[in-house]
Amino acid sequence: MSILDNAFSEFLRARRGRLVPEKYGFPPRGRRVSGLRRQEFAELAGLSVEYYTKLEQGRAVHPSAAVVAAIAEALDLDHTERDYLARLLRPDPELDEPPLTLPSEVGQLLSSLGRVIPAFVITPATDVIAWNAVGGTVFHIDPEFAPVNVTERLFRNPLGRKLYGNWEQVAHDQVAWLRYDAVRHPGDRRLHRLVECMIEEDAHFRKFWRLHEVRPRSHGRRVINHADVGVLDMFYTAFPLPADPRLTIVTWSPLQGTETANNLAALAARCENNAITVMLPDSGEVAEGVPTDPIRAISPSLDPALPNSIPDRLRR
């Protein structure tokens, strides 16, 4: 069973439940559940109650573009949410995606950011496959325990809860990113297996997944609680790599002249050099330095067909 089975109808029900009746001229009293009733929403979207009911129940699986547009408008969806809805109805073939490669330019880019700009590269399944020295220091990425999975650490490792000042919001965002990436990468077995395991094993992840939030990785602000230097109040920017848009590079920066900038400089000073760490081809080892050739970024330890759970080493 796919993690996106029934996602279209579930999305409609979840989002209809958030609509405020008074905003649309419907009386707020006498309601057993939150949001608009089906007949009210159907009226708002210009659809018959019978047809909309079939959509929510998964019995009408091929709505026209006009119908989807009317629903999106009635739900007041943003661009990302509309794209998500369209992809659910017209998914890409679930073909195995080709192996990820890390272009040499990525190592040069990470190195060029300097000693005080933490940065790392993640896959759709949130495996960290490359990072600079200060990025490893800030986020406690130990080469001995590589690879690190951001989602696993955030939900299953006590360090993940201690690291962020607003864990609830960070976790919420993480699941919203994963939901959007899941529909954008239907052939990424590692990503889909990760989500399956997290839904099954973690109540917090399951709660956020059921909210049906979708967001792109873009930018924001995070408060990091670092054990050695204290609070790091930083801004992050995430953007896909042109050579392989499946890979995302995330950079972090403080406001200049702030305590965070001083704390970050103190952490950077502890780094012996500005080495870039990447995964070696088809192994669980890591290599330091600026790569000059493309490097395979998937190893046997990340086998997407693991039968029971995510590898123990990814729980670190």
Side-chain angles (χ1 to χ4, degrees):
M1 182 176 179
S2 168
I3 58 174
L4 296 175
D5 285 349
N6 305 315
F8 180 77
S9 56
E10 290 173 355
F11 182 87
L12 296 186
R13 292 195 296 271
R15 291 310 181 90
R16 176 171 60 83
R18 298 185 191 180
L19 301 180
V20 180
E22 302 94 303
K23 180 179 178 180
Y24 301 96
F26 298 110
R29 296 181 179 179
R31 297 176 182 273
R32 292 177 296 177
V33 294
S34 61
L36 297 186
R37 299 185 177 100
R38 277 179 180 164
Q39 60 268 31
E40 293 170 340
F41 182 79
E43 176 185 334
L44 185 65
L47 304 173
S48 71
V49 178
E50 293 76 15
Y51 182 66
Y52 180 72
T53 299
K54 288 181 179 180
L55 287 173
E56 279 205 359
Q57 294 177 345
R59 295 187 290 122
V61 295
H62 298 294
S64 67
V67 167
V68 175
I71 291 173
E73 191 67 26
L75 289 174
D76 195 25
L77 302 184
D78 62 23
H79 173 76
T80 299
E81 293 165 333
R82 290 170 188 250
D83 182 56
Y84 172 78
L85 208 58
R87 288 175 182 271
L88 284 176
L89 292 170
R90 291 176 289 278
D92 295 328
E94 293 187 15
L95 303 176
D96 287 346
E97 296 191 352
L100 293 169
T101 59
L102 191 65
S104 58
E105 294 82 2
V106 175
Q108 295 164 6
L109 174 60
L110 290 174
S111 181
S112 69
L113 292 172
R115 297 177 62 94
V116 294
I117 302 295
F120 52 76
V121 176
I122 59 173
T123 69
T126 67
D127 295 311
V128 180
I129 61 171
W131 58 93
N132 61 6
V134 67
T137 301
V138 168
F139 293 99
H140 304 285
I141 306 174
D142 189 338
E144 181 181 351
F145 299 128
V148 168
N149 183 273
V150 175
T151 304
E152 267 286 292
R153 172 178 282 189
L154 186 60
F155 284 92
R156 307 299 301 278
N157 190 316
L159 174 63
R161 286 183 173 273
K162 295 177 182 178
L163 190 61
Y164 295 99
N166 187 352
W167 180 89
E168 190 87 5
Q169 184 61 56
V170 174
H172 189 172
D173 289 344
Q174 184 68 28
V175 176
W177 292 335
L178 282 171
R179 180 174 277 282
Y180 190 40
D181 278 345
V183 78
R184 293 174 61 235
H185 303 285
D188 191 324
R189 295 188 296 151
R190 165 68 179 157
L191 166 60
H192 285 248
R193 181 59 180 149
L194 170 74
V195 173
E196 288 174 359
C197 290
M198 295 303 299
I199 290 173
E200 179 181 348
E201 299 175 8
D202 191 273
H204 287 95
F205 187 98
R206 194 159 52 245
K207 177 186 73 172
F208 292 132
W209 185 260
R210 289 171 177 169
L211 294 177
H212 291 270
E213 294 276 4
V214 286
R215 296 177 194 147
R217 300 178 189 274
S218 55
H219 62 279
R221 187 175 186 172
R222 294 283 187 258
V223 174
I224 309 297
N225 298 316
H226 198 279
D228 296 333
V229 297
V231 173
L232 298 172
D233 186 356
M234 295 191 292
F235 298 85
Y236 70 88
T237 302
F239 52 92
L241 296 175
D244 190 340
R246 293 175 296 171
L247 298 178
T248 299
I249 184 168
V250 186
T251 62
W252 300 78
S253 58
L255 290 175
Q256 295 302 310
T258 62
E259 183 179 1
T260 290
N262 295 333
N263 290 341
L264 196 57
L267 284 177
R270 301 182 185 183
C271 301
E272 296 181 359
N273 51 48
N274 194 30
I276 309 305
T277 308
V278 298
M279 297 295 300
L280 281 174
D282 299 317
S283 75
E285 300 176 1
V286 293
E288 292 188 344
V290 179
T292 57
D293 298 306
I295 296 178
R296 282 274 308 264
I298 294 297
S299 72
S301 64
L302 300 185
D303 182 359
L306 288 166
N308 295 318
S309 63
I310 300 166
D312 287 340
R313 62 182 304 187
L314 289 186
R315 302 188 188 283
R316 298 179 183 272

